[in-house]
């Protein structure tokens, strides 16, 4: 029984074990170690058999993460899909531009993190003219230099006048057929192709290696009524004295005598033109045949007062010379004695003034376009500014008058106190402007008019098939001519030289085939209208005498009929078949090449056609009361039209009535601002209304309003013409 008690003791020990359980509960508060160290990474298995990775976070392993899917053709994340996340993979793609363009497919980058086009762009080449982008810069046919071209027959380039040209690539090229070798190029510029052989020009025009072949034309026959090569005219006979000589040359009319009183080292015959028909004689007593008396400084001692006065009163012209003006004036006007003034100038022989005076006088209205003389090249002489009753025209320096005139009866005493008879500075010092002024004084007509020629009225409008003989009979004389192919070189083709040689009140532009007696087309007008500067614009023109004129020093010069639509580019290319048009190119202040004569155009290189400028001394001044050459009359309102006046005639008649005169008998037309730039002191007077006239004088608004100017009115007693209603 005692043994059973012992077993009870063992039960006590079991009680001890319960106490031990209590100790285990205490261990849960901090005795269990961490599963891993923070930041550690280890491999782990994921579904599908891939090895993933897990990281230790807060002492515990996080969930196992599958590997990253990359672009490499494998299922990296064991999800049963390959290269997901790279949708463009395998699609078509292109790289480069122009001829460097290449096509391919999108492929993986070497690191598998992205995709890229697998094509490789081509290498850029040299740009050529083929309508393609050879250098792969995105532009087609850019920067291609022009190529040598020639469209004439093989073997003719470089022979005779024939020359190659240059052909520019047409950028971008269109309408080409590469299979046929057609390239997108422009025209062959500058080439000269074989043409018809031109006789007697010394050139191989048809480029066959021979010059002037087939040109053995029969000699001209004077008197057969045909103006052939080498003849200026042919009136069907060989009789002299009828305007066409026995040698078929134009005959200059016999115009009388220039009498030279005293010695002149310079030949005074050079002051006029051969066609003036004047002879030079020595003497100091003029007769009925004397046109002008030129008195040099050593001739005054031979002068006789009575014949001098009678000659002037009858309409003669008397010209003085250096230091002779006071003595000649005293002989002509003995009741108004003068003494010699102060001396000035550079003694370079010219009489063209450095400083001009009386710019509204007819003398300068005719010659105002002449260049003003440079001070270093003027003549020298004594001041005549204190002489009574004179009209001063200019001097060799400020404050001095060496060129003037005074009327006596129907004639004029021209006080030219400058050294025109000298040649001390050599023949070249005496210039064309001086010759033009001296000729004008010698030929000045009796009375108060400007120089005139026979048949002085202007023919209005464009003229066709005009006889040169008839034009000459009306007083026009050729002052410039050249072939249409000429003009690029030579001093005679400069516009200043041309206009100096062609000084006169009237100008005519004309053209024709070489050797023809008649002009194909011609037109005439006042000098200032034919040379009126207009803008270098397609439709720009200046209308006068029924002609639309245009003149640009570096664009074109020509005409069309009044109201014609022009297309100047730079010459007028409009209405190609219109026979009433003429145009010449100008460039750099020079005549330069063709372009058209009537309906014949593209004459830039032609040696078969010639252009001619003719000048005429002038036309008679209309009788009546002049309101002033520098006054213009228009109407307020639109800048483009006469507005209330409706036309120049109405403005001119209204101006005459306002000034208390009769009807307007003559006027010119122009625009306020244009005329102010050409005529010194020009004044635009504009009407606010026509009934009654209300004149706004010296109008200075910038509006370039049309005006009637240089208005001449009939005397007040004449019955006025009715004024058209506005």
């Amino acid at each position: 029984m005692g043994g059973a008690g012992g077993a009870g003791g063992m039960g006590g020990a079991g009680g001890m074990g319960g106490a031990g359980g209590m100790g285990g509960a205490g261990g849960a508060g901090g005795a269990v170690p961490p599963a891993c160290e923070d930041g550690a990474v280890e491999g782990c298995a994921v579904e599908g058999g891939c090895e993933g990775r897990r990281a230790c976070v807060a002492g515990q392993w996080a969930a196992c993460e599958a590997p990253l899917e990359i672009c490499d053709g494998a299922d990296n994340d064991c999800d049963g899909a390959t290269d997901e996340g790279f949708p463009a993979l395998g699609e078509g793609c292109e790289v480069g531009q122009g001829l460097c363009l290449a096509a391919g497919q999108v492929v993986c980058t070497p690191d598998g993190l992205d995709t890229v086009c697998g094509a490789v762009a081509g290498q850029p080449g040299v740009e050529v003219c083929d309508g393609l982008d050879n250098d792969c810069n995105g532009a087609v046919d850019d920067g291609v230099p022009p190529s040598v071209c020639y469209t004439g027959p093989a073997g003719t380039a470089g022979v005779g006048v024939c020359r190659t040209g240059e052909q520019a690539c047409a950028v971008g090229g269109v309408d080409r057929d590469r299979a046929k070798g057609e390239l997108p190029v422009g025209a062959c510029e500058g080439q000269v192709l074989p043409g018809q052989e031109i006789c007697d020009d010394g050139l191989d025009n048809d480029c066959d290696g021979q010059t002037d072949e087939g040109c053995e034309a029969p000699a001209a026959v004077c008197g057969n009524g045909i103006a052939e090569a080498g003849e200026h005219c042919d009136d069907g006979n060989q009789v002299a004295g009828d305007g066409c000589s026995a040698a078929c040359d134009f005959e200059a009319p016999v115009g009388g005598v220039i009498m030279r009183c005293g010695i002149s080292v310079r030949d005074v015959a050079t002051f006029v033109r051969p066609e003036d028909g004047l002879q030079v004689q020595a003497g100091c007593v003029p007769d009925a045949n004397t046109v002008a008396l030129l008195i040099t400084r050593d001739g005054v001692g031979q002068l006789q007062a009575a014949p001098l006065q009678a000659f002037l009163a009858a309409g003669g012209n008397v010209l003085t010379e250096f230091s002779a003006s006071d003595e000649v004036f005293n002989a002509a006007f003995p009741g108004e004695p003068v003494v010699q003034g102060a001396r000035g100038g550079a003694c370079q022989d010219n009489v063209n003034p450095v400083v001009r005076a009386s710019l509204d006088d007819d003398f300068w209205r005719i010659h105002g376009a002449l260049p003003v003389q440079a001070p270093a090249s003027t003549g020298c002489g004594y001041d005549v500014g204190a002489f009574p009753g004179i009209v001063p025209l200019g001097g060799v320096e400020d404050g001095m008058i060496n060129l003037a005139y005074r009327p006596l009866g129907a004639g004029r005493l021209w006080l030219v106190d400058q050294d025109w008879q000298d040649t001390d500075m050599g023949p070249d010092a005496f210039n064309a402007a001086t010759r033009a002024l001296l000729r004008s004084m010698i030929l000045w007509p009796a009375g108060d008019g400007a120089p005139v020629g026979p048949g002085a009225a202007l023919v209005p409008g464009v003229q066709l098939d005009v006889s040169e003989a008839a034009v000459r009979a009306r007083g026009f004389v050729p002052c410039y001519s050249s072939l249409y192919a000429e003009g690029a070189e030579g001093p005679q083709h400069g516009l200043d030289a041309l206009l100096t040689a062609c000084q006169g009140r009237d100008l005519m532009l004309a053209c024709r085939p070489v050797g023809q007696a008649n002009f194909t087309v011609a037109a005439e007008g006042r000098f200032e209208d034919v040379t009126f500067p207009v803008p270098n614009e397609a439709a720009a023109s200046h209308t006068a005498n029924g002609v639309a004129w245009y003149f640009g020093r570096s664009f074109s010069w020509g005409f069309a009929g009044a109201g014609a639509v022009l297309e100047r580019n730079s010459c007028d290319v409009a209405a190609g078949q219109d026979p009433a048009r003429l145009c010449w190119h100008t460039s750099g202040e020079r005549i330069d090449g063709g372009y058209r004569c009537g309906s014949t155009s593209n004459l830039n290189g032609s040696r078969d056609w010639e252009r001619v400028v003719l000048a005429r001394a002038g036309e008679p001044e209309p009788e009546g009361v002049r309101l002033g050459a520098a006054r213009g009359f228009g109407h307020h309102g639109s800048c483009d039209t006469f507005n209330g006046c409706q036309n120049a005639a109405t403005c001119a008649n209204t101006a005459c009535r306002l000034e208390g005169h009769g009807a307007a008998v003559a006027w010119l037309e122009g625009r306020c601002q244009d005329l102010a730039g050409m005529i010194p002191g020009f004044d635009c007077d504009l009407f606010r209304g026509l009934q009654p006239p209300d004149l706004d004088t010296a109008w200075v608004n910038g509006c370039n309003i049309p005006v009637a100017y240089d208005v001449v009115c009939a005397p007040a007693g004449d019955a006025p013409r009715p004024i058209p209603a506005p």
Side-chain angles (χ1 to χ4, degrees):
M1 291 303 295
M10 288 299 290
M16 288 298 292
M22 288 297 292
V32 179
C36 59
E37 183 177 351
D38 285 353
V41 177
E42 66 178 9
C44 59
V46 295
E47 186 178 355
C50 293
E51 182 180 359
R53 290 288 187 270
R54 64 177 181 175
C56 182
V57 179
Q60 300 297 320
W61 292 107
C64 188
E65 294 182 356
L68 178 68
E69 184 73 13
I70 62 173
C71 185
D72 60 356
D75 181 11
N76 309 98
D77 55 3
C78 300
D79 63 353
T82 301
D83 295 337
E84 69 271 18
F86 300 95
L89 188 65
E91 293 184 358
C93 61
E94 293 180 340
V95 293
Q97 57 187 351
L99 291 184
C100 299
L101 181 68
Q105 289 184 325
V106 176
V107 298
C108 298
T109 58
D111 60 6
L113 299 179
D114 203 352
T115 56
V116 67
C117 186
V120 178
Q123 292 297 312
V126 177
E127 193 73 7
V128 296
C129 185
D130 59 358
L132 302 173
D133 179 13
N134 309 96
D135 57 4
C136 307
N137 66 350
V140 174
D141 294 341
D142 61 311
V144 178
S147 59
V148 175
C149 60
Y150 186 70
T151 60
T156 59
V159 178
V161 300
C162 292
R163 297 289 182 270
T164 60
E166 288 188 341
Q167 201 165 35
C169 181
V171 174
V174 294
D175 299 331
R176 63 189 179 278
D177 187 342
R178 293 197 193 94
K180 296 180 180 179
E182 297 175 359
L183 298 179
V185 293
C188 188
E189 300 287 348
Q191 68 173 339
V192 180
L193 302 178
Q196 182 177 358
E197 193 70 15
I198 300 173
C199 294
D200 302 322
D201 66 349
L203 301 175
D204 176 12
N205 309 101
D206 57 5
C207 307
D208 64 350
Q210 302 180 65
T211 300
D212 293 340
E213 72 275 13
C215 291
E216 295 75 20
V221 178
C222 182
N224 64 0
I226 302 172
E228 299 164 302
E231 297 179 340
H232 291 104
C233 60
D234 195 322
D235 56 0
N237 62 61
Q238 291 183 320
V239 178
D242 59 356
C244 187
S245 74
C248 286
D249 286 322
F250 286 113
E251 293 178 313
V254 177
V257 169
I258 300 174
M259 185 168 287
R260 187 192 70 243
C261 180
I263 296 173
S264 177
V265 180
R266 193 180 303 278
D267 183 3
V268 300
T270 63
F271 298 171
V272 293
R273 300 171 182 166
E275 60 266 20
D276 295 328
L278 298 175
Q279 300 175 353
V280 178
Q281 293 181 2
C284 296
V285 180
D287 57 22
N289 292 322
T290 306
V291 172
L293 176 64
L294 279 59
I295 306 171
T296 65
R297 54 184 178 264
D298 71 324
V300 293
Q302 309 169 52
L303 194 62
Q304 300 178 38
L308 173 68
Q309 295 166 13
F311 176 65
L312 284 167
N317 292 299
V318 176
L319 281 67
T320 68
E321 195 243 339
F322 173 88
S323 81
S325 298
D326 57 326
E327 295 173 278
V328 178
F329 188 93
N330 287 335
F333 303 97
E336 304 174 73
V338 298
V339 296
Q340 194 172 69
R343 177 174 168 172
C347 293
Q348 298 290 311
D349 305 342
N350 289 301
V351 305
N352 186 27
V354 172
V355 180
R356 295 179 179 178
S358 305
L359 293 176
D360 59 346
D361 188 85
D362 278 337
F363 188 80
W364 289 128
R365 291 188 67 243
I366 295 169
H367 298 297
L370 286 173
V372 174
Q373 194 72 32
S377 61
T378 189
C380 58
Y382 291 87
D383 188 5
V384 301
F387 291 14
I390 67 167
V391 176
L393 295 176
V396 298
E397 58 188 59
D398 285 329
M400 180 174 287
I401 298 298
N402 305 91
L403 179 62
Y405 71 85
R406 175 163 171 179
L408 191 150
R412 280 190 180 184
L413 171 59
W414 298 90
L415 301 167
V416 193
D417 208 288
Q418 295 178 65
D419 50 341
W420 50 259
Q421 69 90 17
D422 284 340
T423 57
D424 294 348
M425 306 312 297
D428 295 336
F430 197 73
N431 62 29
T434 285
R435 294 181 191 276
L437 297 184
L438 287 169
R439 177 175 182 265
S440 181
M441 289 183 270
I442 290 170
L443 297 177
W444 204 271
D448 236 1
V452 299
L458 286 171
V459 175
V462 178
Q463 307 165 56
L464 305 179
D465 194 24
V466 184
S467 165
E468 181 179 357
V471 168
R472 284 175 174 264
R474 294 177 49 239
F476 282 95
V477 177
C479 53
Y480 170 83
S481 65
S482 63
L483 300 179
Y484 268 69
E486 297 175 336
E489 297 179 356
Q492 72 275 19
H493 302 306
L495 286 172
D496 285 339
L498 187 159
L499 296 179
T500 296
C502 294
Q503 278 294 306
R505 173 164 292 191
D506 304 328
L507 282 187
M508 173 182 284
L509 306 186
C511 58
R512 63 185 171 190
V514 173
Q516 294 296 309
N518 288 5
F519 296 121
T520 302
V521 60
E524 60 194 72
R526 288 286 183 90
F527 183 98
E528 60 266 29
D529 290 320
V530 180
T531 61
F532 191 94
V534 301
N536 295 345
E537 298 172 357
S541 66
H542 168 72
T543 300
N545 195 39
V547 181
W549 302 98
Y550 49 89
F551 176 71
R553 286 180 168 269
S554 295
F555 204 59
S556 56
W557 190 13
F559 61 75
V565 177
L566 303 176
E567 188 179 345
R568 296 171 62 213
N569 183 30
S570 61
C571 257
D572 176 24
V573 299
Q577 301 304 311
D578 187 350
R581 296 180 185 243
L582 174 150
C583 187
W584 306 329
H585 288 294
T586 61
S587 176
E589 308 273 327
R590 306 174 61 80
I591 291 285
D592 186 17
Y595 156 79
R596 75 185 298 162
C597 179
S599 56
T600 304
S601 58
N602 295 313
L603 297 174
N604 293 334
S606 175
R607 305 185 68 86
D608 296 329
W609 291 74
E610 69 171 338
R611 53 198 172 203
V612 185
V613 181
L614 305 97
R616 185 171 66 177
E619 61 186 32
E621 287 296 302
E623 295 182 1
V625 181
R626 173 174 282 173
L627 299 186
R631 291 185 70 187
F633 300 91
H635 192 280
H636 280 277
S638 168
C639 292
D640 299 320
T641 66
F642 282 100
N643 221 15
C645 281
Q646 295 295 310
N647 52 52
T650 307
C651 282
N653 276 295
T654 303
C656 288
R657 185 179 60 179
L658 176 67
E659 299 286 334
H661 306 300
V665 296
W667 59 87
L668 298 175
E669 298 182 36
R671 289 180 176 271
C672 282
Q673 307 305 320
D674 295 339
L675 293 167
M678 297 172 58
I679 302 175
F682 190 83
D683 172 26
C684 284
D685 297 342
L686 302 187
F687 301 106
R688 294 184 182 276
L690 301 182
Q691 304 290 342
D694 179 9
L695 197 62
D696 183 357
T697 59
W699 193 69
V700 295
N701 187 287
C703 197
N704 202 10
I705 288 178
V707 292
Y709 73 102
D710 198 6
V711 177
V712 181
C713 308
D718 291 3
R721 285 183 282 179
I723 299 176

